[in-house]
Amino acid sequence: MINLPKYTYSLLLVFAFNFISSEHSDAAEFVGSKACIGCHEKAYQDWQGSHHDMSMKHADSDSVLGDFNNASLASKDNKTTKVSSFFKKGRQYWVNIQGEDGQFHDYQIKYTFGFTPLQQYMVEFDDGRVQLIPFAWDSRTKAQGGQRWYNLYPEMTQKHQEFFWTNTGQNWNYMCADCHSTNVDKNFDLKTNSYNTTFSEINVACESCHGGASDHLNWAKQVNKTEMVNNVEHQSKGFDRDLSKSVKQWQSSAPNKTLTPKVIEHSQQVLVCAQCHSRRTQISNNDHVKGNAFGERYLLDLISSSNYHPDGQVYNENFVYGSFLQSKMYKSGVVCSDCHNPHTAELKLPVAALCLQCHQSENYASTQHHKHQENSTGAQCVNCHMPETTYMEVDARRDHGFHIPTPDLAKQLGTPDTCLSCHEDKNSQWSSSKVAAWYPESTVKEEKDFVAVFSAINLALNEQQLQGVASELSRISQTISYAGIIRASALTKMASVSNTNTIIAIARAVKNPDENIRLGAIEGAQSMASAEKWRILSPLLNDKVLSVRTGSAFALTSLWSNLSAQQRAQLTPALNEYITSQHFNNDRSFSHSNRGIIKAYQGKYEQAIKAFKQGITIEANFAQTYLNLSQVYYQQGQHQQSITTLQNGIKANPDDASLPFNLGLAYIRIKDKTSAAKALAKATQLAPNNSHYFYVYGLSLEQKQAGSAYKALYQAFKLSNNPQHLYALCDMQVRHKNPLAKQCLQQLAPLVPANVIQGLTQALNNG
């Protein structure tokens, strides 16, 4: 993100880099899973009824688990009870539910989604959109609390909300199809704003993982049939994917307490699984497996505060890959099929035995290690090292970071305390003392020393503290003992804190063989001075990985007005590739907004306005596009159009605080302080924990409502502990000769240099 100066706002990089390129014409064709049965009957039977098989189905008596026998579900909306019903018309399944017009309508259920521990249902509209209804069927047994309808999104009852069931947040074509079906082509038509999405098979079938099988079938016709067995290795047999294990032989070697790999060989298995088991944005239709680069097709979410806790434990669903990349398992060559049967998607062994494949029982399956009674829940490896988080109310998923519990960090920084998952009557003071006594020689504290640094990013720090954080981020990003995703995430956080050390770290990171580290460097360089930014990032314009190459092009476009003709020529090929690529996500506003940002940086304002307006047409409830359009109008001196755009944005997105905040700034620019104060007040109401909003609101009130200004500024300080906010309050009270000024100065004194207090005190006394 571009740093925002006071009282202004800038065009923002929106969401993710998104790209497209055509498939190779010589790619193998998809033939369907039934073509696999003859030679791979065991694998096919294992797959039947699995999560992959049941990922999506046509709604019929075999697939639908929910009660559609005139069942009903009551929901409350603004204290009004609304009842939805589930029923049949012949062999069809229907739901009566509130539509975007606020009225209840009958909609046919066309598809099922998943099957356990819950099943979702989808409606198909005439324009090709397939939308998930907000109600799910709890398919657990009655004894487990299941066999009931429930609302997945009880707060999402308004048309303007992203996750209202007819909006983009619940759109299968963009959000779900790539992972729940095989060989998906989204086929969005911008001219008609409609979809014609296709797939080879409706569910996750054989070729979702193995790739198109036509060449494999040709190979099979040419070899002795006795060579074909159910567990045949597929590499070099008509497939261009190696799904074998990375480690063929594990060995015991002192003083290690776990088995170690004799050799780690290259395997593409994790890349294949990661295409769906990850938190990412699809960025192309390229074959990322063939290219051995996740960034050829997807952009991975790194360790951000929205999806992870500062220690790397999962917060929002990350679907495993982002956690697994942090683990020692991944570093040691463990792949998914070491633990999971890829066809049943179940564990290969009982939980108690699974970990002991490598972690020798005499060292780990003992009270000496786990400190719990034998056969108790605390004696099970997964309960300490793979804690569960429940999503969608009933779906418990385990963290695949295989973290060592750190209750001391939980006590200090508020990260999750795994011990308290079982010991609910205790606290982190208790658990940290226990762990310290049990494992006095543990090195986990040193291994996790990045956590305090990541936590500090979200705090209000003084300049000295910020410089310390910047230096620590630099150290973390360059320390090879940390997982690559941790190092990459440290780089991304340098965008908000910078010094000489971070510049050096980013310059080194762009040369790192890990594509995630190079991507982290791009984000970390956002706030760099123009010359440094160009010097460091421009070599990435020729990077071998699509997301890195075009991501750097987008980042460097902000320098366009300062670039020489030669530099623009160097940037243009990758930038053109990026612009063309945005068409892949034409169905989302951020795609159009990204193109508008580029045109605005190039001074092509009319083209920018056209792109932003197109984005608003496609997706009215994406606030950022309104902000960007408003900014372009402001840059052209068209203040009323800027204000009108923000007002329209507020109507379409009444819950988004950034719109009234920026509307307040727009009013300040035309010196309409009364309207500015009203807009800023609304922003603080919508975002009551945003200290900056209260700060600007307080400044806007000074001339007409001094008392309210004091309250707003003090609230800003209480939320942030930022001395700048308290200084603004004291300075205002000093200028007003307010009786509370002395008290304010006493509170400010320990937080700022003595000469600041002396100056304010002198100004107060001179009055």
Side-chain angles (χ1 to χ4, degrees):
M1 303 289 284
I2 300 174
N3 290 333
L4 305 183
K6 294 179 183 178
Y7 300 118
T8 65
Y9 54 94
S10 301
L11 297 173
L12 301 181
L13 182 150
V14 183
F15 271 15
F17 309 126
N18 297 273
F19 320 99
I20 185 172
S21 69
S22 60
E23 292 282 5
H24 298 294
S25 58
D26 59 349
E29 296 179 357
F30 285 73
V31 299
S33 56
K34 289 185 178 180
C36 307
I37 301 175
C39 298
H40 303 281
E41 185 175 358
K42 177 63 166 61
Y44 184 84
Q45 292 302 324
D46 284 347
W47 169 73
Q48 290 282 293
S50 68
H51 280 277
H52 288 160
D53 177 27
M54 302 299 292
S55 61
M56 183 171 169
K57 294 283 190 179
H58 293 286
D60 57 32
S61 59
D62 292 329
S63 63
V64 173
L65 302 179
D67 180 5
F68 280 84
N69 295 310
N70 297 315
S72 62
L73 179 67
S75 302
K76 283 193 174 181
D77 178 18
N78 295 326
K79 299 182 180 180
T80 301
T81 300
K82 298 182 177 180
V83 180
S84 298
S85 57
F86 310 87
F87 56 97
K88 296 178 184 177
K89 292 182 181 180
R91 294 183 179 181
Q92 297 176 348
Y93 296 82
W94 289 74
V95 60
N96 181 264
I97 189 175
Q98 186 178 16
E100 60 183 18
D101 61 358
Q103 303 301 311
F104 277 69
H105 303 280
D106 291 347
Y107 299 94
Q108 184 183 354
I109 299 297
K110 296 295 290 291
Y111 307 101
T112 64
F113 218 52
F115 75 117
T116 182
L118 70 152
Q119 186 173 69
Q120 293 179 265
Y121 303 92
M122 294 185 287
V123 170
E124 186 171 18
F125 290 89
D126 291 339
D127 60 2
R129 281 174 167 79
V130 177
Q131 302 289 139
L132 288 98
I133 67 172
F135 307 124
W137 176 255
D138 185 343
S139 56
R140 300 174 302 164
T141 65
K142 282 190 176 182
Q144 295 172 312
Q147 300 301 296
R148 65 186 176 100
W149 288 103
Y150 70 101
N151 195 339
L152 284 170
Y153 302 97
E155 305 301 322
M156 299 293 167
T157 60
Q158 304 299 316
K159 177 185 175 182
H160 66 267
Q161 295 171 308
E162 181 184 4
F163 281 87
F164 183 77
W165 77 276
T166 61
N167 285 340
T168 53
Q170 295 298 321
N171 174 247
W172 167 83
N173 311 75
Y174 171 82
M175 298 288 292
C176 317
D178 181 57
C179 280
H180 279 257
S181 300
T182 301
N183 189 29
V184 172
D185 194 334
K186 186 168 55 174
N187 282 330
F188 176 74
D189 188 331
L190 180 61
K191 292 182 179 179
T192 61
N193 193 10
S194 63
Y195 292 95
N196 183 28
T197 303
T198 62
F199 43 73
S200 296
E201 294 186 77
I202 194 170
N203 52 8
V204 178
C206 309
E207 292 166 297
S208 287
C209 301
H210 293 279
S214 61
D215 291 344
H216 176 66
L217 292 183
N218 291 333
W219 167 84
K221 294 176 183 178
Q222 301 169 12
V223 300
N224 189 323
K225 299 302 182 184
T226 61
E227 295 181 18
M228 296 297 295
V229 293
N230 287 329
N231 63 349
V232 66
E233 293 284 354
H234 287 317
Q235 66 182 107
S236 75
K237 291 180 172 64
F239 287 109
D240 56 10
R241 294 183 174 189
D242 177 9
L243 304 189
S244 63
K245 294 181 180 179
S246 295
V247 179
K248 306 298 190 296
Q249 182 178 348
W250 297 87
Q251 60 187 7
S252 176
S253 58
N256 295 307
K257 295 182 179 180
T258 63
L259 300 184
T260 58
K262 185 175 182 179
V263 177
I264 300 178
E265 300 174 345
H266 175 69
S267 168
Q268 297 170 313
Q269 184 185 135
V270 173
L271 270 179
V272 168
C273 298
Q275 65 191 22
C276 292
H277 293 274
S278 60
R279 186 69 177 255
R280 83 295 187 279
T281 301
Q282 186 177 358
I283 60 177
S284 79
N285 274 330
N286 287 355
D287 187 343
H288 69 292
V289 181
K290 187 174 182 179
N292 288 305
F294 194 71
E296 278 298 307
R297 187 179 178 95
Y298 303 106
L299 185 69
L300 180 68
D301 284 8
L302 300 179
I303 309 301
S304 63
S305 59
S306 59
N307 293 324
Y308 297 88
H309 294 283
D311 63 348
Q313 289 191 71
V314 62
Y315 172 60
N316 276 325
E317 289 179 283
N318 73 353
F319 307 105
V320 175
Y321 184 53
S323 294
F324 188 52
L325 287 178
Q326 303 174 47
S327 71
K328 294 180 180 179
M329 306 284 190
Y330 175 76
K331 188 175 183 179
S332 297
V334 172
V335 296
C336 310
S337 66
D338 284 313
C339 298
H340 298 271
N341 181 321
H343 298 116
T344 65
E346 301 293 338
L347 295 176
K348 294 170 56 176
L349 296 169
V351 173
L354 195 65
C355 303
L356 301 182
Q357 293 180 105
C358 294
H359 296 265
Q360 299 171 340
S361 58
E362 62 268 26
N363 294 317
Y364 293 95
S366 67
T367 55
Q368 183 178 359
H369 173 71
H370 55 64
K371 310 297 183 183
H372 289 77
Q373 186 177 351
E374 294 289 353
N375 300 319
S376 67
T377 56
Q380 295 184 24
C381 310
V382 294
N383 289 334
C384 292
H385 299 289
M386 300 181 71
E388 290 182 328
T389 302
T390 299
Y391 302 102
M392 304 176 82
E393 195 171 322
V394 300
D395 192 1
R397 302 187 183 183
R398 291 197 179 276
D399 192 321
H400 280 61
F402 302 98
H403 303 280
I404 296 173
T406 51
D408 56 327
L409 292 178
K411 181 179 65 175
Q412 298 169 19
L413 304 172
T415 53
D417 185 345
T418 306
C419 302
L420 303 187
S421 299
C422 293
H423 300 280
E424 297 177 353
D425 59 332
K426 306 296 184 181
N427 57 34
S428 294
Q429 176 64 46
W430 170 84
S431 54
S432 61
S433 63
K434 285 284 187 182
V435 169
W438 287 342
Y439 310 103
E441 298 180 359
S442 172
T443 60
V444 67
K445 189 171 183 178
E446 289 74 22
E447 294 172 5
K448 290 280 190 177
D449 64 354
F450 68 86
V451 181
V453 182
F454 283 11
S455 296
I457 296 296
N458 299 320
L459 303 176
L461 305 174
N462 59 40
E463 185 60 30
Q464 183 177 0
Q465 291 170 322
L466 287 172
Q467 291 303 306
V469 168
S471 297
E472 281 296 288
L473 288 174
S474 174
R475 175 187 65 81
I476 293 165
S477 72
Q478 298 177 78
T479 303
I480 60 174
S481 60
Y482 294 117
I485 191 172
I486 296 296
R487 297 173 63 190
S489 301
L491 287 159
T492 67
K493 299 176 192 304
M494 294 177 189
S496 57
V497 291
S498 179
N499 63 14
T500 302
N501 290 326
T502 61
I503 294 173
I504 293 172
I506 292 171
R508 290 174 175 171
V510 299
K511 303 174 184 177
N512 195 283
D514 187 329
E515 64 185 271
N516 287 326
I517 289 178
R518 301 199 300 279
L519 281 169
I522 294 172
E523 187 170 343
Q526 290 300 321
S527 59
M528 277 187 181
S530 297
E532 288 177 336
K533 190 174 182 180
W534 175 264
R535 176 176 58 84
I536 290 174
L537 294 187
S538 59
L540 295 180
L541 294 171
N542 297 312
D543 196 271
K544 61 182 180 180
V545 178
L546 181 64
S547 60
V548 178
R549 185 170 65 252
T550 45
S552 62
F554 187 66
L556 290 171
T557 308
S558 62
L559 311 180
W560 186 267
S561 61
N562 296 322
L563 296 181
S564 66
Q566 182 179 359
Q567 289 172 324
R568 290 183 180 182
Q570 183 180 345
L571 172 59
T572 295
L575 184 59
N576 285 343
E577 182 181 18
Y578 177 81
I579 294 172
T580 301
S581 75
Q582 289 299 301
H583 292 286
F584 182 76
N585 284 320
N586 260 344
D587 53 337
R588 296 303 295 263
S589 184
F590 69 78
S591 168
H592 302 276
S593 199
N594 283 343
R595 277 173 274 174
I597 289 170
I598 291 171
K599 297 303 180 183
Y601 281 138
Q602 293 177 327
K604 301 174 181 178
Y605 292 116
E606 291 305 315
Q607 293 181 43
I609 291 170
K610 182 179 179 180
F612 293 139
K613 286 184 175 180
Q614 182 71 70
I616 291 171
T617 299
I618 290 295
E619 192 176 1
N621 61 339
F622 187 65
Q624 189 60 59
T625 306
Y626 293 93
L627 296 176
N628 289 338
L629 176 57
S630 172
Q631 174 68 2
V632 168
Y633 281 134
Y634 161 63
Q635 290 173 340
Q636 292 187 297
Q638 299 180 39
H639 294 289
Q640 187 53 55
Q641 287 92 330
S642 176
I643 288 171
T644 300
T645 297
L646 292 170
Q647 291 171 333
N648 291 337
I650 291 171
K651 291 177 183 177
N653 303 270
D655 297 332
D656 191 290
S658 66
L659 290 162
F661 176 73
N662 282 281
L663 179 61
L665 299 183
Y667 279 127
I668 287 174
R669 287 194 289 266
I670 62 172
K671 304 187 185 313
D672 184 350
K673 295 184 178 179
T674 300
S675 297
K678 290 180 180 179
L680 294 170
K682 183 63 176 178
T684 62
Q685 293 165 12
L686 292 172
N689 295 318
N690 190 309
S691 61
H692 184 62
Y693 287 4
F694 277 97
Y695 172 66
V696 176
Y697 178 46
L699 296 180
S700 75
L701 293 172
E702 179 177 5
Q703 293 184 358
K704 294 188 176 181
Q705 302 179 52
S708 297
Y710 301 157
K711 291 179 181 179
L713 290 174
Y714 192 68
Q715 180 65 17
F717 174 66
K718 285 200 302 182
L719 289 169
S720 67
N721 290 318
N722 186 340
Q724 179 183 351
H725 294 161
L726 185 59
Y727 172 84
L729 172 60
C730 295
D731 178 61
M732 187 180 292
Q733 290 179 337
V734 165
R735 285 186 283 102
H736 295 176
K737 309 305 178 186
N738 188 279
L740 297 174
K742 289 184 179 180
Q743 181 180 339
C744 186
L745 292 175
Q746 291 174 354
Q747 189 173 359
L748 180 65
L751 306 177
V752 298
N755 65 310
V756 173
I757 299 298
Q758 291 172 358
L760 289 173
T761 301
Q762 183 177 0
L764 180 64
N765 292 335
N766 287 343

